[in-house]
Amino acid sequence: MVNQIQKAAVIGSGVMGAAIAAHLAGAGISCLLLDIVPTVLTDEETKAGLTLEQPKVRNRLAAGAIERLKKTNPAPLYSEAFAARITPGNLEDDLARLAGVDWIIEVVVERLDVKKQLLARIEQVWKPGTIVSSNTSGISIQAMAEDCGPEFKRHFLGTHFFNPPRYMKLLEIIPGESTDPEILRFMADFCEKRLGKGVVTAKDTPNFIANRIGTYGLLVTLREMLEKGYTVEEVDAVTGPALGRPKSATFRTLDLVGLDTFVHVARNVYDLVDNEAEKTIFDVPAALTGMVEQGWIGEKKGQGFYKKVKTETGKEIQALHLGTMEYAPSRKISSASLEAAKNAKGTAGKIKALLSTPDKYSELAWKVVKPVLLYSAGKLGEIADSIVEIDNAMKWGFNWDLGPFELWDVIGLERSVKRMEQEGDTVPAWVKEWLAAGHTGFYEKREGTTFYYNRGMYKEADTRPEHISLKALKQQNKTILSNSGASLIDIGDGVACLEFHSPNNAIGADILTMVQKSTEEVRRNYRGMVLANEGRHFCVGANVMILLMEAQDGEWDEVDSIIRLFQNAMMTLKKLEKPVVAAPHSMTLGGGVEACLPADRIIFSPETYFGLVEVGVGVIPAGGGCKEMALRSSRLAAGNPEVDLQPYINHYFETIGMAKVSGSGYDTKRLGYMGPRDSVVLNGDHRIYTAKQAVLAMDREGYVLPQEEKIRVVGDSGKAVLQIASYTMKLGGYISDHDRLIANKLAHVLAGGDVPAGSLVSEQYMLDLEREAFLSLCGEPKTQQRMQHMLSKGKPLRN
């Protein structure tokens, strides 16, 4: 029995196979990537005098795939450096090397005969105990392995990664009839903790869970559209955020996935199910197959249900009219129900508003939601054992805010079932029995604990200790302190979590006040503090609107007071005599970064986009961001004054001056934001737990507050080096006059001002430099224009 996976092999270096290898590499697993041996030389190989027998040619497919990983956008790799963990090879020369790995993943073409042939070859070199899996999107696991030996079958299962593996949370694990239950449990645990996946266990049925229900829902929507004459834009207006689904809604999603891929997935169900009514649904409409035949398969071919066209004024999005098969400019759709949904708060509120405001779009929403609810209920037990598996599969695989059963609860189970039966629909017997027993929903909350329908009774949701929910803790009255912008929550074992919950988690006086109060509370009564939240983004920065209003009114004392409050709050956090660990996620920008930097440790989520981006609104970091970067540079020379600090300061000058943002939690190291004690936790759902454990570990070790350090600076001569760089950029036409002004202010602060090189200065001295530079830039009309543009347009202005 394998109890760890350190080495893996992926067979098939196409887009999916290479991306899975990239994800394994990101998890620290060395990976062998194999493909077939080419039979023909390329022109470049011929010119180079290579032959078909040379390794460079024989490994070309896998080696080329690894190189493409470094250039693909969005990036499959957390860091380009991780590509070194992937070794290319081929199925003839390197097949025997499969005996040296712990996990073999087959990712070849979706054909049963090809997969069976490959498994037979793998079994010839297979080392007993090695786990083998197929990344199939719908082919039977049992049929694939039917000719393999019993021991091999015990170690074989399906592992269906959703594309792209780095960004899509869902991993469906599909056991065969002979799969060892212990291996199934081990893989579910490993893939959640080590690979950061949301794992669901699916039955070995066509298309498993997410693709089965998702494809059904898309086809139902398409048929309703064709029957009632709705347009592409109308359907997408209804089936996007108004229903708790992604902005890509129905047809943008199909364009992204590829219509050819979608048709293949739908036909797989059509070919394999026996129920005639179900076959009818999965029989792809002629309009869709016609588009595929014409090559209108979506974004990869430049057109599908939508296409971009160049116009005299720029680019225009056009939508396809299925009746005429002609494109026309995409129209914005509005109605009473859509406006009600837009104005409602939260996913549940939006869905209720959409369905309860009668008009044609409310009716469309009901017509596309109802069959999915009934289908999901009808498939319980066939495609998955629990409603939780189905709900999670749809949330993690299709990015729905609510799974089908959660959505049904929001709509109102009793009321909706009555309407369904009035409209002549057959409701599954188990749903009616559940209602008859007096239940009003599939889920129930009891003092913050979730229970769900399971075989005719409520079952407590299986929550791992790694899954700390701040929302649930607040429902359990674990809030210690709270105001409009932030709360301090008891997360157990003597650790408190400071949660931001202002709009976009932008930092204003309310959050800063709570930082001060929270440090006092933790100092008195707790072992340490975690900084984390469950918002869409950790923090998008300071509240720019307040700063702009005060600057436009010339209230400079107020601006100065705001910056002092920010600086003092961050220093209070830094000087807390208890351990502090920050756990950022998603967008963590400007002031959000400055809130993390004072912490003793940062636990990054893998998808953390981290950067000091203040130049985008015409200022520089003034909440300690510049000071902390100068401090990091100074630490490199601690005890060795001969170390040249200039290259390090140059790096931070470029990073901040160009508003560089990390491409992942791992990428923060390249930008210099990751400290020696910082780390990344692969499963973002575990970050609060991991941060809490880090606090407890420091407390057990006997935490001692680090003494304040003097900062060695590059001084006036170092500033001159930075200002020459900005002058050169201006001469080259790369930056504007205002960009150069900001850059020179940044140079002044990072260098430590007009002091001799090598001078030792205090943190407060550096904070004063930050504040003075920030204030002077706020007075610049072009900075105020940048702030206004960011607030109104949501993107930086270059002026």
Side-chain angles (χ1 to χ4, degrees), residues 347-548:
T347 299
K350 291 181 183 300
I351 293 169
K352 287 178 181 177
L354 176 65
L355 291 171
S356 63
T357 309
D359 63 19
K360 63 183 287 191
Y361 298 126
S362 175
E363 182 66 16
L364 171 61
W366 171 249
K367 289 291 188 180
V368 300
V369 163
K370 178 179 68 171
V372 172
L373 302 182
L374 292 171
Y375 187 73
S376 299
K379 292 301 168 187
L380 181 65
E382 178 184 334
I383 64 174
D385 280 331
S386 82
I387 65 170
V388 175
E389 303 279 9
I390 293 174
D391 279 348
N392 285 340
M394 298 315 298
K395 289 189 291 186
W396 298 339
F398 278 74
N399 292 321
W400 290 7
D401 291 342
L402 299 172
F405 296 98
E406 293 171 322
L407 174 59
W408 209 337
D409 277 0
V410 164
I411 293 172
L413 181 59
E414 189 174 9
R415 183 174 64 252
S416 60
V417 165
K418 185 177 181 181
R419 180 177 175 182
M420 290 170 179
E421 293 190 317
Q422 286 174 346
E423 293 174 353
D425 295 294
T426 301
V427 178
W430 72 264
V431 175
K432 295 171 70 174
E433 290 166 5
W434 185 243
L435 276 171
H439 302 291
T440 58
F442 298 110
Y443 291 88
E444 183 175 275
K445 284 281 178 101
R446 302 176 196 167
E447 298 180 347
T449 301
T450 300
F451 294 80
Y452 66 94
Y453 169 88
N454 185 66
R455 303 179 190 277
M457 64 183 66
Y458 273 125
K459 179 180 180 181
E460 185 176 348
D462 181 21
T463 54
R464 291 173 175 258
E466 294 91 351
H467 294 180
I468 293 178
S469 166
L470 299 180
K471 181 179 179 181
L473 287 169
K474 286 191 285 188
Q475 291 171 346
Q476 296 167 26
N477 299 315
K478 298 294 185 180
T479 302
I480 306 161
L481 301 168
S482 187
N483 66 17
S484 60
S487 296
L488 187 68
I489 302 162
D490 187 339
I491 58 174
D493 300 313
V495 181
C497 178
L498 179 58
E499 174 202 33
F500 299 168
H501 47 64
S502 64
N504 292 316
N505 288 343
I507 297 176
D510 47 4
I511 287 179
L512 298 174
T513 299
M514 187 54 62
V515 170
Q516 300 276 16
K517 289 182 177 179
S518 295
T519 52
E520 293 170 13
E521 178 68 22
V522 170
R523 181 179 288 113
R524 288 194 303 267
N525 299 314
Y526 289 85
R527 298 168 69 181
M529 183 195 293
V530 168
L531 267 68
N533 63 67
E534 295 168 336
R536 183 181 174 195
H537 302 297
F538 177 79
C539 177
V540 298
N543 190 325
V544 175
M545 180 176 288
I546 298 296
L547 288 166
L548 176 60

Side-chain angles (χ1 to χ4, degrees), residues 1-8 24 29 101-105 129-133 154-159 171 173-175 179-197 199 201 464:
M1 175 65 194
V2 173
N3 56 19
Q4 61 178 349
I5 293 175
Q6 299 297 341
K7 296 180 180 179
L24 297 178
I29 300 167
V101 304
D102 307 308
W103 181 15
I104 302 166
I105 311 173
T130 301
I131 294 169
V132 184
S133 70
R154 283 185 61 241
H155 291 79
F156 181 67
L157 69 163
T159 49
L171 173 64
I173 291 186
I174 311 99
T179 304
D180 187 329
E182 280 300 314
I183 288 174
L184 181 67
R185 280 191 286 271
F186 166 76
M187 286 299 288
D189 187 69
F190 175 84
C191 291
E192 179 185 342
K193 291 181 178 176
R194 188 73 182 273
L195 301 187
K197 289 297 175 186
V199 177
T201 301
R464 291 173 175 258

Side-chain angles (χ1 to χ4, degrees), residues 73 80 132 165 177 184 226 244 258 265 333 341 397 407 417 423 442 534 596-597 602 660 753 774:
N73 187 28
E80 190 176 308
V132 184
E177 291 178 10
L184 181 67
L226 292 170
V265 172
I333 307 300
L407 174 59
V417 165
E423 293 174 353
F442 298 110
E534 295 168 336
C596 294
L597 293 177
I602 304 176
K660 292 185 178 180
F774 189 95

Side-chain angles (χ1 to χ4, degrees), residues 57 68 209 220 241 301 406 435 438 442 456 523-524 532 583 634 744:
V57 175
R68 284 191 294 276
I209 303 174
V220 162
K301 290 295 184 181
E406 293 171 322
L435 276 171
F442 298 110
R523 181 179 288 113
R524 288 194 303 267
S634 176
N744 287 342

